[in-house]
Amino acid sequence: MDIHNKTEEQVKFLRCIGEATRLRILKYIIDEEKCVTDIVNAVGKEQSLVSHHLKYLKDCNIVIARQKAQKTYYSLSHHRLAGIIIQSESLVKELPICQEKKCND
Amino acid sequence: MDIHNKTEEQVKFLRCIGEATRLRILKYIIDEEKCVTDIVNAVGKEQSLVSHHLKYLKDCNIVIARQKAQKTYYSLSHHRLAGIIIQSESLVKELPICQEKKCND
DNA sequence: CATTCATATGAATGATAATACATATTAATC
DNA sequence: GATTAATATGTATTATCATTCATATGAATG
């Protein structure tokens, strides 16, 4: 129908969750809000990098931030997000992604 | 547990479907196999680009190719793929991605 | 109020990936 | 078997994006 129905936004969303550090963050906060320091420890990346990714996720409305004193707690913005994450995870187990071909990892 | 449980493969999968041209291809072939020329017309991109993306998708086992004379027909490799695509599409409608913030598109 | 803790931000760099262009392959048709 | 049709591939360019480093902000605490 129109030029970019909703595909652009869907792409933005999938890109958002389709990055290793961000996906780890999302999985870590999937059922309970967590503060940045805990997230940093969980994903094992630099604090500034984690903050950049959290900003990215927040700007895409995938997570919400709650300020409490000096700490900021992040959680998923929508319960259905957990569903997508879990379903794609289980799909990948069935789908032999890069099992046979010349994949470099 | 181990260093990269299945997150890496899940990321690879999400990256794979999280690109505009590839997602359009996948949506176009979602319920019926299509040949390259039809896909090219559907997505409105260069033939070589479409072929590159099809190769990418095939190498990740997201699509399968069926040769018939000079034509190659592509289809989804797994029925659950359609589910993920449709569910993420409907989730995005609920999730106001980049509706409020400084998003450049 | 200076210091520490928690988090955010801006700029620079490096890596990765999408695209374009030229060309190759393979099969059909005249 | 030369030409056309359908698709694939290799290389170069360009754009995007993750990461790092340095620094800033803001709140708590001694």
Side-chain angles (χ1 to χ4, degrees), chain B residues 40-95:
Chain B
V40 168
N41 292 332
V43 304
K45 295 285 168 125
E46 270 201 12
Q47 177 270 319
S48 75
L49 178 60
V50 169
S51 270
H52 278 297
H53 282 305
L54 286 169
K55 177 171 165 46
Y56 192 112
L57 290 166
K58 198 174 71 146
D59 286 350
C60 280
N61 295 316
I62 287 179
V63 303
I64 55 175
R66 183 178 70 89
Q67 194 83 23
K68 166 98 178 185
Q70 321 100 302
K71 295 193 175 182
T72 312
Y73 292 87
Y74 286 88
S75 56
L76 298 191
S77 68
H78 199 294
H79 63 283
R80 284 187 58 197
L81 276 161
I84 296 280
I85 291 168
I86 290 166
Q87 280 167 46
S88 65
E89 187 176 32
S90 84
L91 174 56
V92 166
K93 287 174 189 161
E94 294 183 36
L95 209 65

Side-chain angles (χ1 to χ4, degrees), chain A residues 55-73:
Chain A
K55 178 172 165 44
Y56 193 111
L57 290 166
K58 199 174 68 144
D59 285 350
C60 280
N61 294 317
I62 286 178
V63 302
I64 55 175
R66 184 177 70 90
Q67 194 83 20
K68 165 97 176 187
Q70 320 99 305
K71 296 195 174 182
T72 312
Y73 292 89

Side-chain angles (χ1 to χ4, degrees), chain A residues 35-37 47-48 51-52 54-55 70-72 74:
Chain A
C35 73
V36 178
T37 303
Q47 176 270 318
S48 74
S51 270
H52 278 301
L54 286 170
K55 178 172 165 44
Q70 320 99 305
K71 296 195 174 182
T72 312
Y74 286 88

